mmCIF file with all atom_site columns, all heavy atoms in Angstrom:
data_model
loop_
_atom_site.group_PDB
_atom_site.id
_atom_site.type_symbol
_atom_site.label_atom_id
_atom_site.label_alt_id
_atom_site.label_comp_id
_atom_site.label_asym_id
_atom_site.label_entity_id
_atom_site.label_seq_id
_atom_site.pdbx_PDB_ins_code
_atom_site.Cartn_x
_atom_site.Cartn_y
_atom_site.Cartn_z
_atom_site.occupancy
_atom_site.B_iso_or_equiv
_atom_site.pdbx_formal_charge
_atom_site.auth_seq_id
_atom_site.auth_comp_id
_atom_site.auth_asym_id
_atom_site.auth_atom_id
_atom_site.pdbx_PDB_model_num
ATOM 1   N N   . VAL A 1 42 ? 115.356 56.709 42.627 1.00 0.00 ? 42 VAL A N   1
ATOM 2   C CA  . VAL A 1 42 ? 116.595 57.381 43.006 1.00 0.00 ? 42 VAL A CA  1
ATOM 3   C C   . VAL A 1 42 ? 117.588 56.964 41.797 1.00 0.00 ? 42 VAL A C   1
ATOM 4   O O   . VAL A 1 42 ? 117.758 55.827 41.554 1.00 0.00 ? 42 VAL A O   1
ATOM 5   C CB  . VAL A 1 42 ? 117.267 57.032 44.337 1.00 0.00 ? 42 VAL A CB  1
ATOM 6   C CG1 . VAL A 1 42 ? 118.539 57.828 44.570 1.00 0.00 ? 42 VAL A CG1 1
ATOM 7   C CG2 . VAL A 1 42 ? 116.274 57.335 45.439 1.00 0.00 ? 42 VAL A CG2 1
ATOM 8   N N   . VAL A 1 43 ? 118.174 57.875 41.104 1.00 0.00 ? 43 VAL A N   1
ATOM 9   C CA  . VAL A 1 43 ? 119.178 57.652 39.998 1.00 0.00 ? 43 VAL A CA  1
ATOM 10  C C   . VAL A 1 43 ? 120.459 58.191 40.446 1.00 0.00 ? 43 VAL A C   1
ATOM 11  O O   . VAL A 1 43 ? 120.589 59.393 40.790 1.00 0.00 ? 43 VAL A O   1
ATOM 12  C CB  . VAL A 1 43 ? 118.585 58.228 38.718 1.00 0.00 ? 43 VAL A CB  1
ATOM 13  C CG1 . VAL A 1 43 ? 119.592 57.833 37.560 1.00 0.00 ? 43 VAL A CG1 1
ATOM 14  C CG2 . VAL A 1 43 ? 117.225 57.879 38.379 1.00 0.00 ? 43 VAL A CG2 1
ATOM 15  N N   . ILE A 1 44 ? 121.452 57.379 40.355 1.00 0.00 ? 44 ILE A N   1
ATOM 16  C CA  . ILE A 1 44 ? 122.736 57.714 40.848 1.00 0.00 ? 44 ILE A CA  1
ATOM 17  C C   . ILE A 1 44 ? 123.832 57.250 39.730 1.00 0.00 ? 44 ILE A C   1
ATOM 18  O O   . ILE A 1 44 ? 123.703 56.228 39.271 1.00 0.00 ? 44 ILE A O   1
ATOM 19  C CB  . ILE A 1 44 ? 123.217 57.053 42.149 1.00 0.00 ? 44 ILE A CB  1
ATOM 20  C CG1 . ILE A 1 44 ? 122.160 57.256 43.222 1.00 0.00 ? 44 ILE A CG1 1
ATOM 21  C CG2 . ILE A 1 44 ? 124.548 57.509 42.588 1.00 0.00 ? 44 ILE A CG2 1
ATOM 22  C CD1 . ILE A 1 44 ? 122.104 56.359 44.303 1.00 0.00 ? 44 ILE A CD1 1
ATOM 23  N N   . SER A 1 45 ? 124.849 58.130 39.497 1.00 0.00 ? 45 SER A N   1
ATOM 24  C CA  . SER A 1 45 ? 125.893 57.799 38.643 1.00 0.00 ? 45 SER A CA  1
ATOM 25  C C   . SER A 1 45 ? 127.115 57.446 39.422 1.00 0.00 ? 45 SER A C   1
ATOM 26  O O   . SER A 1 45 ? 127.405 58.062 40.432 1.00 0.00 ? 45 SER A O   1
ATOM 27  C CB  . SER A 1 45 ? 126.256 58.907 37.607 1.00 0.00 ? 45 SER A CB  1
ATOM 28  O OG  . SER A 1 45 ? 125.229 59.155 36.725 1.00 0.00 ? 45 SER A OG  1
ATOM 29  N N   . GLY A 1 46 ? 127.835 56.386 38.910 1.00 0.00 ? 46 GLY A N   1
ATOM 30  C CA  . GLY A 1 46 ? 129.164 56.038 39.419 1.00 0.00 ? 46 GLY A CA  1
ATOM 31  C C   . GLY A 1 46 ? 130.233 56.164 38.334 1.00 0.00 ? 46 GLY A C   1
ATOM 32  O O   . GLY A 1 46 ? 129.899 55.851 37.133 1.00 0.00 ? 46 GLY A O   1
ATOM 33  N N   . ALA A 1 47 ? 131.421 56.601 38.649 1.00 0.00 ? 47 ALA A N   1
ATOM 34  C CA  . ALA A 1 47 ? 132.292 56.856 37.591 1.00 0.00 ? 47 ALA A CA  1
ATOM 35  C C   . ALA A 1 47 ? 132.834 55.601 36.845 1.00 0.00 ? 47 ALA A C   1
ATOM 36  O O   . ALA A 1 47 ? 133.174 55.691 35.698 1.00 0.00 ? 47 ALA A O   1
ATOM 37  C CB  . ALA A 1 47 ? 133.568 57.565 38.177 1.00 0.00 ? 47 ALA A CB  1
ATOM 38  N N   . ASN A 1 48 ? 132.843 54.493 37.476 1.00 0.00 ? 48 ASN A N   1
ATOM 39  C CA  . ASN A 1 48 ? 133.300 53.168 36.852 1.00 0.00 ? 48 ASN A CA  1
ATOM 40  C C   . ASN A 1 48 ? 132.658 51.982 37.526 1.00 0.00 ? 48 ASN A C   1
ATOM 41  O O   . ASN A 1 48 ? 131.900 52.257 38.546 1.00 0.00 ? 48 ASN A O   1
ATOM 42  C CB  . ASN A 1 48 ? 134.884 53.120 36.997 1.00 0.00 ? 48 ASN A CB  1
ATOM 43  C CG  . ASN A 1 48 ? 135.327 53.332 38.359 1.00 0.00 ? 48 ASN A CG  1
ATOM 44  O OD1 . ASN A 1 48 ? 134.930 52.617 39.375 1.00 0.00 ? 48 ASN A OD1 1
ATOM 45  N ND2 . ASN A 1 48 ? 136.275 54.090 38.544 1.00 0.00 ? 48 ASN A ND2 1
ATOM 46  N N   . GLU A 1 49 ? 132.751 50.855 37.055 1.00 0.00 ? 49 GLU A N   1
ATOM 47  C CA  . GLU A 1 49 ? 132.196 49.684 37.578 1.00 0.00 ? 49 GLU A CA  1
ATOM 48  C C   . GLU A 1 49 ? 132.565 49.480 39.108 1.00 0.00 ? 49 GLU A C   1
ATOM 49  O O   . GLU A 1 49 ? 131.590 49.121 39.945 1.00 0.00 ? 49 GLU A O   1
ATOM 50  C CB  . GLU A 1 49 ? 132.409 48.385 36.747 1.00 0.00 ? 49 GLU A CB  1
ATOM 51  C CG  . GLU A 1 49 ? 131.911 48.381 35.425 1.00 0.00 ? 49 GLU A CG  1
ATOM 52  C CD  . GLU A 1 49 ? 132.870 48.930 34.418 1.00 0.00 ? 49 GLU A CD  1
ATOM 53  O OE1 . GLU A 1 49 ? 133.896 49.608 34.672 1.00 0.00 ? 49 GLU A OE1 1
ATOM 54  O OE2 . GLU A 1 49 ? 132.533 48.824 33.168 1.00 0.00 ? 49 GLU A OE2 1
ATOM 55  N N   . ARG A 1 50 ? 133.692 49.738 39.408 1.00 0.00 ? 50 ARG A N   1
ATOM 56  C CA  . ARG A 1 50 ? 134.144 49.547 40.934 1.00 0.00 ? 50 ARG A CA  1
ATOM 57  C C   . ARG A 1 50 ? 133.343 50.569 41.699 1.00 0.00 ? 50 ARG A C   1
ATOM 58  O O   . ARG A 1 50 ? 132.863 50.163 42.882 1.00 0.00 ? 50 ARG A O   1
ATOM 59  C CB  . ARG A 1 50 ? 135.634 49.647 40.988 1.00 0.00 ? 50 ARG A CB  1
ATOM 60  C CG  . ARG A 1 50 ? 136.194 49.412 42.264 1.00 0.00 ? 50 ARG A CG  1
ATOM 61  C CD  . ARG A 1 50 ? 137.612 49.609 42.317 1.00 0.00 ? 50 ARG A CD  1
ATOM 62  N NE  . ARG A 1 50 ? 138.096 49.040 43.512 1.00 0.00 ? 50 ARG A NE  1
ATOM 63  C CZ  . ARG A 1 50 ? 139.282 48.534 43.648 1.00 0.00 ? 50 ARG A CZ  1
ATOM 64  N NH1 . ARG A 1 50 ? 140.216 48.649 42.785 1.00 0.00 ? 50 ARG A NH1 1
ATOM 65  N NH2 . ARG A 1 50 ? 139.693 48.105 44.840 1.00 0.00 ? 50 ARG A NH2 1
ATOM 66  N N   . GLN A 1 51 ? 133.153 51.674 41.263 1.00 0.00 ? 51 GLN A N   1
ATOM 67  C CA  . GLN A 1 51 ? 132.419 52.682 42.008 1.00 0.00 ? 51 GLN A CA  1
ATOM 68  C C   . GLN A 1 51 ? 130.991 52.380 42.210 1.00 0.00 ? 51 GLN A C   1
ATOM 69  O O   . GLN A 1 51 ? 130.337 52.434 43.206 1.00 0.00 ? 51 GLN A O   1
ATOM 70  C CB  . GLN A 1 51 ? 132.636 54.179 41.613 1.00 0.00 ? 51 GLN A CB  1
ATOM 71  C CG  . GLN A 1 51 ? 131.973 55.133 42.523 1.00 0.00 ? 51 GLN A CG  1
ATOM 72  C CD  . GLN A 1 51 ? 132.122 56.690 42.149 1.00 0.00 ? 51 GLN A CD  1
ATOM 73  O OE1 . GLN A 1 51 ? 132.295 56.890 40.866 1.00 0.00 ? 51 GLN A OE1 1
ATOM 74  N NE2 . GLN A 1 51 ? 132.112 57.481 43.089 1.00 0.00 ? 51 GLN A NE2 1
ATOM 75  N N   . VAL A 1 52 ? 130.408 51.964 41.080 1.00 0.00 ? 52 VAL A N   1
ATOM 76  C CA  . VAL A 1 52 ? 128.993 51.403 41.078 1.00 0.00 ? 52 VAL A CA  1
ATOM 77  C C   . VAL A 1 52 ? 128.816 50.453 42.171 1.00 0.00 ? 52 VAL A C   1
ATOM 78  O O   . VAL A 1 52 ? 127.894 50.428 42.945 1.00 0.00 ? 52 VAL A O   1
ATOM 79  C CB  . VAL A 1 52 ? 128.571 50.879 39.719 1.00 0.00 ? 52 VAL A CB  1
ATOM 80  C CG1 . VAL A 1 52 ? 127.182 50.245 39.757 1.00 0.00 ? 52 VAL A CG1 1
ATOM 81  C CG2 . VAL A 1 52 ? 128.423 52.130 38.757 1.00 0.00 ? 52 VAL A CG2 1
ATOM 82  N N   . GLY A 1 53 ? 129.740 49.411 42.149 1.00 0.00 ? 53 GLY A N   1
ATOM 83  C CA  . GLY A 1 53 ? 129.551 48.324 43.091 1.00 0.00 ? 53 GLY A CA  1
ATOM 84  C C   . GLY A 1 53 ? 129.791 48.875 44.621 1.00 0.00 ? 53 GLY A C   1
ATOM 85  O O   . GLY A 1 53 ? 129.048 48.516 45.432 1.00 0.00 ? 53 GLY A O   1
ATOM 86  N N   . ALA A 1 54 ? 130.737 49.740 44.756 1.00 0.00 ? 54 ALA A N   1
ATOM 87  C CA  . ALA A 1 54 ? 130.941 50.388 46.150 1.00 0.00 ? 54 ALA A CA  1
ATOM 88  C C   . ALA A 1 54 ? 129.629 51.083 46.604 1.00 0.00 ? 54 ALA A C   1
ATOM 89  O O   . ALA A 1 54 ? 129.253 51.052 47.856 1.00 0.00 ? 54 ALA A O   1
ATOM 90  C CB  . ALA A 1 54 ? 132.185 51.249 46.106 1.00 0.00 ? 54 ALA A CB  1
ATOM 91  N N   . ILE A 1 55 ? 129.137 51.808 45.669 1.00 0.00 ? 55 ILE A N   1
ATOM 92  C CA  . ILE A 1 55 ? 127.743 52.579 45.934 1.00 0.00 ? 55 ILE A CA  1
ATOM 93  C C   . ILE A 1 55 ? 126.676 51.621 46.390 1.00 0.00 ? 55 ILE A C   1
ATOM 94  O O   . ILE A 1 55 ? 126.115 51.875 47.530 1.00 0.00 ? 55 ILE A O   1
ATOM 95  C CB  . ILE A 1 55 ? 127.379 53.439 44.817 1.00 0.00 ? 55 ILE A CB  1
ATOM 96  C CG1 . ILE A 1 55 ? 128.475 54.711 44.680 1.00 0.00 ? 55 ILE A CG1 1
ATOM 97  C CG2 . ILE A 1 55 ? 126.106 54.097 45.083 1.00 0.00 ? 55 ILE A CG2 1
ATOM 98  C CD1 . ILE A 1 55 ? 128.263 55.372 43.353 1.00 0.00 ? 55 ILE A CD1 1
ATOM 99  N N   . VAL A 1 56 ? 126.508 50.597 45.654 1.00 0.00 ? 56 VAL A N   1
ATOM 100 C CA  . VAL A 1 56 ? 125.491 49.598 45.824 1.00 0.00 ? 56 VAL A CA  1
ATOM 101 C C   . VAL A 1 56 ? 125.730 48.936 47.258 1.00 0.00 ? 56 VAL A C   1
ATOM 102 O O   . VAL A 1 56 ? 124.763 48.788 48.009 1.00 0.00 ? 56 VAL A O   1
ATOM 103 C CB  . VAL A 1 56 ? 125.449 48.685 44.769 1.00 0.00 ? 56 VAL A CB  1
ATOM 104 C CG1 . VAL A 1 56 ? 124.668 47.392 45.204 1.00 0.00 ? 56 VAL A CG1 1
ATOM 105 C CG2 . VAL A 1 56 ? 124.819 49.217 43.488 1.00 0.00 ? 56 VAL A CG2 1
ATOM 106 N N   . ASP A 1 57 ? 127.075 48.517 47.536 1.00 0.00 ? 57 ASP A N   1
ATOM 107 C CA  . ASP A 1 57 ? 127.282 47.981 48.765 1.00 0.00 ? 57 ASP A CA  1
ATOM 108 C C   . ASP A 1 57 ? 126.991 48.926 49.981 1.00 0.00 ? 57 ASP A C   1
ATOM 109 O O   . ASP A 1 57 ? 126.460 48.513 51.021 1.00 0.00 ? 57 ASP A O   1
ATOM 110 C CB  . ASP A 1 57 ? 128.766 47.457 48.810 1.00 0.00 ? 57 ASP A CB  1
ATOM 111 C CG  . ASP A 1 57 ? 129.028 46.390 47.899 1.00 0.00 ? 57 ASP A CG  1
ATOM 112 O OD1 . ASP A 1 57 ? 128.030 45.521 47.399 1.00 0.00 ? 57 ASP A OD1 1
ATOM 113 O OD2 . ASP A 1 57 ? 130.120 45.959 47.643 1.00 0.00 ? 57 ASP A OD2 1
ATOM 114 N N   . GLU A 1 58 ? 127.388 50.176 49.808 1.00 0.00 ? 58 GLU A N   1
ATOM 115 C CA  . GLU A 1 58 ? 127.125 51.178 50.881 1.00 0.00 ? 58 GLU A CA  1
ATOM 116 C C   . GLU A 1 58 ? 125.613 51.320 51.042 1.00 0.00 ? 58 GLU A C   1
ATOM 117 O O   . GLU A 1 58 ? 125.224 51.518 52.187 1.00 0.00 ? 58 GLU A O   1
ATOM 118 C CB  . GLU A 1 58 ? 127.887 52.525 50.506 1.00 0.00 ? 58 GLU A CB  1
ATOM 119 C CG  . GLU A 1 58 ? 127.966 53.331 51.642 1.00 0.00 ? 58 GLU A CG  1
ATOM 120 C CD  . GLU A 1 58 ? 129.079 53.066 52.468 1.00 0.00 ? 58 GLU A CD  1
ATOM 121 O OE1 . GLU A 1 58 ? 129.766 51.990 52.589 1.00 0.00 ? 58 GLU A OE1 1
ATOM 122 O OE2 . GLU A 1 58 ? 129.404 53.864 53.481 1.00 0.00 ? 58 GLU A OE2 1
ATOM 123 N N   . ILE A 1 59 ? 124.852 51.357 49.956 1.00 0.00 ? 59 ILE A N   1
ATOM 124 C CA  . ILE A 1 59 ? 123.500 51.640 50.180 1.00 0.00 ? 59 ILE A CA  1
ATOM 125 C C   . ILE A 1 59 ? 122.854 50.404 50.917 1.00 0.00 ? 59 ILE A C   1
ATOM 126 O O   . ILE A 1 59 ? 122.083 50.577 51.822 1.00 0.00 ? 59 ILE A O   1
ATOM 127 C CB  . ILE A 1 59 ? 122.719 51.704 48.660 1.00 0.00 ? 59 ILE A CB  1
ATOM 128 C CG1 . ILE A 1 59 ? 123.240 53.044 48.184 1.00 0.00 ? 59 ILE A CG1 1
ATOM 129 C CG2 . ILE A 1 59 ? 121.215 51.539 48.940 1.00 0.00 ? 59 ILE A CG2 1
ATOM 130 C CD1 . ILE A 1 59 ? 122.729 53.102 46.681 1.00 0.00 ? 59 ILE A CD1 1
ATOM 131 N N   . GLU A 1 60 ? 123.216 49.168 50.524 1.00 0.00 ? 60 GLU A N   1
ATOM 132 C CA  . GLU A 1 60 ? 122.683 47.943 51.290 1.00 0.00 ? 60 GLU A CA  1
ATOM 133 C C   . GLU A 1 60 ? 123.159 48.060 52.746 1.00 0.00 ? 60 GLU A C   1
ATOM 134 O O   . GLU A 1 60 ? 122.301 47.678 53.569 1.00 0.00 ? 60 GLU A O   1
ATOM 135 C CB  . GLU A 1 60 ? 123.246 46.736 50.567 1.00 0.00 ? 60 GLU A CB  1
ATOM 136 C CG  . GLU A 1 60 ? 122.588 46.503 49.196 1.00 0.00 ? 60 GLU A CG  1
ATOM 137 C CD  . GLU A 1 60 ? 122.967 45.280 48.508 1.00 0.00 ? 60 GLU A CD  1
ATOM 138 O OE1 . GLU A 1 60 ? 124.007 44.849 48.671 1.00 0.00 ? 60 GLU A OE1 1
ATOM 139 O OE2 . GLU A 1 60 ? 122.099 44.656 47.830 1.00 0.00 ? 60 GLU A OE2 1
ATOM 140 N N   . GLU A 1 61 ? 124.307 48.408 53.112 1.00 0.00 ? 61 GLU A N   1
ATOM 141 C CA  . GLU A 1 61 ? 124.778 48.528 54.403 1.00 0.00 ? 61 GLU A CA  1
ATOM 142 C C   . GLU A 1 61 ? 124.051 49.437 55.250 1.00 0.00 ? 61 GLU A C   1
ATOM 143 O O   . GLU A 1 61 ? 123.597 49.138 56.366 1.00 0.00 ? 61 GLU A O   1
ATOM 144 C CB  . GLU A 1 61 ? 126.284 48.712 54.372 1.00 0.00 ? 61 GLU A CB  1
ATOM 145 C CG  . GLU A 1 61 ? 126.902 48.945 55.901 1.00 0.00 ? 61 GLU A CG  1
ATOM 146 C CD  . GLU A 1 61 ? 127.120 47.573 56.544 1.00 0.00 ? 61 GLU A CD  1
ATOM 147 O OE1 . GLU A 1 61 ? 126.863 46.573 55.964 1.00 0.00 ? 61 GLU A OE1 1
ATOM 148 O OE2 . GLU A 1 61 ? 127.015 47.581 57.776 1.00 0.00 ? 61 GLU A OE2 1
ATOM 149 N N   . TYR A 1 62 ? 123.982 50.631 54.733 1.00 0.00 ? 62 TYR A N   1
ATOM 150 C CA  . TYR A 1 62 ? 123.173 51.827 55.388 1.00 0.00 ? 62 TYR A CA  1
ATOM 151 C C   . TYR A 1 62 ? 121.843 51.335 55.567 1.00 0.00 ? 62 TYR A C   1
ATOM 152 O O   . TYR A 1 62 ? 121.136 51.644 56.638 1.00 0.00 ? 62 TYR A O   1
ATOM 153 C CB  . TYR A 1 62 ? 123.217 53.091 54.532 1.00 0.00 ? 62 TYR A CB  1
ATOM 154 C CG  . TYR A 1 62 ? 124.485 54.001 54.724 1.00 0.00 ? 62 TYR A CG  1
ATOM 155 C CD1 . TYR A 1 62 ? 125.728 53.451 54.758 1.00 0.00 ? 62 TYR A CD1 1
ATOM 156 C CD2 . TYR A 1 62 ? 124.311 55.274 55.258 1.00 0.00 ? 62 TYR A CD2 1
ATOM 157 C CE1 . TYR A 1 62 ? 126.860 54.176 55.063 1.00 0.00 ? 62 TYR A CE1 1
ATOM 158 C CE2 . TYR A 1 62 ? 125.410 56.073 55.428 1.00 0.00 ? 62 TYR A CE2 1
ATOM 159 C CZ  . TYR A 1 62 ? 126.695 55.513 55.290 1.00 0.00 ? 62 TYR A CZ  1
ATOM 160 O OH  . TYR A 1 62 ? 127.733 56.374 55.479 1.00 0.00 ? 62 TYR A OH  1
ATOM 161 N N   . ALA A 1 63 ? 121.052 50.748 54.504 1.00 0.00 ? 63 ALA A N   1
ATOM 162 C CA  . ALA A 1 63 ? 119.754 50.273 54.618 1.00 0.00 ? 63 ALA A CA  1
ATOM 163 C C   . ALA A 1 63 ? 119.603 49.347 55.823 1.00 0.00 ? 63 ALA A C   1
ATOM 164 O O   . ALA A 1 63 ? 118.597 49.364 56.508 1.00 0.00 ? 63 ALA A O   1
ATOM 165 C CB  . ALA A 1 63 ? 119.262 49.793 53.356 1.00 0.00 ? 63 ALA A CB  1
#
Side-chain angles (χ1 to χ4, degrees):
V42 182
V43 185
I44 305 161
S45 293
N48 53 52
E49 287 90 353
R50 187 175 190 157
Q51 187 181 26
V52 167
I55 292 167
V56 167
D57 289 346
E58 193 79 352
I59 290 169
E60 289 180 326
E61 179 69 21
Y62 273 53

